[in-house]
Structure formats: C-alpha cells, structure tokens
Amino acid sequence: MKNIFFLFAAIVIVAASCAPKIYKTEDFESKTASHKIVAILPAEVTIALRPNEKKRTTVEQLRESEEKTGTMIQDKMYSWFLRRSGKFKYTVQFQDISKTNALLLQNNIRYADMKAHTKEELAKLLGVDAVISTSASMQKPMSEGAAVAMSLLIGYAGSTNDVQTAISINEATKGDLVWKYDYNATGSVGSNPDRLVNALMRNASKKFPYNDK
C-alpha cells in the first residue's frame, strides 16, 4: 500500500512539474483595450543535438533548420488562429504573416537579427498594436542520424523527447510583456511543427486573452 501511495505521489509531482504556467499582467484589459491588429513573429527555435549529430552537422545547417522550423511554427500558428476565429470570437485581427515577414525584410531584419530588436521596435515597424512571439527549445532527438536528415530534407528537427515552448504577447507602446504561456511538450509531440503547434494551442487557447468567449 505504501508503494502505491508513493507511486501516486510521484505521478502527481511529475504532472505538476509539467503543468502549463501562465502570466497575465493585472492591467491587461486597460493596456489592450484599443488593440485591433496583432502580428505573429517567426518562432525563436533552438535545437540541441547529440554529440555524434554535432559532428555531422555544420553550424550553418543547424541555423538553417532552426529558421525553417521557426517560420513553419509561425505559419501553423497563424493558420490555427484563422481556422478558429469563428469559435473563439477573437477581439483582434492577426496580421497576415506574409506582410509581417515582408516588412521585416524591408527593414533589413532577418531571422537571426530579431533578437537584436526590442518587441516595441518590432511592433512599431510592423504597424501593429502588439506582437506574439513564440520560443521552442527542442531537446534529445530520437536517433543520431534521423533527426539531422529530417531537418535537412524537410526543414524541421525530427522527433524529440522534450520541447519547451512559450508564447508571449508584448504591447507596442512600451513593449511591455502583458501575457505569457509556458508549456512543456513531451514524447513525440515535437516530431513536426504542425503537431507541436496543435498541442501548444489546444492548451493555450483556453487561456488566450484576446478571446471574447
């Protein structure tokens, strides 16, 4: 009986440690009352490779894979919002990502350069009231060669055991963080951006702030 109790306690602890964490500023409503258009930035992706995979992959190949994965996550997230706009009755519109990416390029801001710019700067040059940014840290590919081959062929890192993700909303006036959702995806969820975004957004949508329902 004691063993069962300790096993149950361990399961509860593990489940709690993986539970999503949500931050929302107390004055969110007042800060976002006038928001009409929000831009979705390419996701900031970090892929951790095993030692053997590092030997077979150049820095340029890894960075290219991270960028492709980041833009795919951006695309999947934008599509997710569009498909569910009727159900959730969003109070804002989401800027077409083709316009977002075009404006970034016109201002000489490439994927690798976004970290050098504040959210306030990005929001203002995009002409939006807030920006949604996503980070994804992918760990432990399932096999030594398959993950690299997958990333080079189709643009993402292959199956992973753990993906730490976060969605953040920063308003344009001062660039303040007004909402953040941290989520840890485990198992094969990180096998491609589509599955990752679906798992992330299924959970985040219940607490997503620009929701009129």
Side-chain angles (χ1 to χ4, degrees):
M1 182 63 71
K2 287 184 177 180
N3 290 338
I4 295 176
F5 172 78
F6 286 122
L7 177 61
F8 176 75
I11 293 173
V12 171
I13 292 173
V14 170
S17 65
C18 298
K21 298 178 181 178
I22 302 171
Y23 163 80
K24 184 178 180 181
T25 183
E26 292 182 357
D27 54 354
F28 181 89
E29 282 71 22
S30 61
K31 280 189 174 182
T32 63
S34 61
H35 286 192
K36 295 180 180 178
I37 303 177
V38 176
I40 304 170
L41 299 175
E44 180 183 326
V45 175
T46 303
I47 300 173
L49 300 178
R50 289 178 176 178
N52 287 342
E53 291 167 335
K54 287 183 179 180
K55 296 177 182 179
R56 305 171 185 175
T57 309
T58 66
V59 173
E60 290 75 17
Q61 288 172 329
L62 181 59
R63 296 293 174 263
E64 182 182 356
S65 181
E66 290 175 338
E67 180 175 348
K68 286 182 179 180
T69 306
T71 54
M72 289 179 73
I73 290 175
Q74 177 197 29
D75 177 68
K76 300 299 181 183
M77 185 173 292
Y78 177 61
S79 298
W80 201 97
F81 281 123
L82 291 183
R83 290 196 304 268
R84 291 159 178 81
S85 59
K87 176 180 179 182
F88 289 103
K89 306 296 182 184
Y90 297 120
T91 58
V92 295
Q93 292 184 335
F94 300 95
Q95 186 178 75
D96 191 309
I97 59 171
S98 62
K99 180 177 181 179
T100 299
N101 295 337
L103 288 171
L104 290 173
L105 287 177
Q106 288 171 18
N107 287 272
N108 297 316
I109 300 176
R110 300 187 180 278
Y111 182 81
D113 304 323
M114 287 196 298
K115 292 181 181 179
H117 296 269
T118 66
K119 297 298 189 295
E120 178 185 358
E121 291 173 336
L122 294 174
K124 288 182 178 178
L125 70 86
L126 293 172
V128 296
D129 301 304
V131 292
I132 297 176
S133 58
T134 308
S135 63
S137 178
M138 302 180 175
Q139 306 287 333
K140 300 177 182 178
M142 290 181 65
S143 65
E144 294 184 356
V148 176
M150 183 82 74
S151 68
L152 298 180
L153 287 173
I154 54 180
Y156 51 80
S159 297
T160 62
N161 293 328
D162 182 76
V163 183
Q164 295 179 340
T165 60
I167 304 175
S168 301
I169 299 176
N170 293 75
E171 55 85 33
T173 305
K174 296 181 179 179
D176 292 340
L177 176 69
V178 294
W179 186 82
K180 185 179 181 184
Y181 183 91
D182 293 293
Y183 178 71
N184 187 31
T186 58
S188 61
V189 171
S191 60
N192 64 59
D194 197 21
R195 293 182 63 185
L196 176 60
V197 170
N198 283 336
L200 175 62
M201 296 305 296
R202 264 199 312 269
N203 288 274
S205 62
K206 301 172 185 177
K207 299 294 182 179
F208 191 71
Y210 294 118
N211 190 337
D212 197 34
K213 293 190 74 174

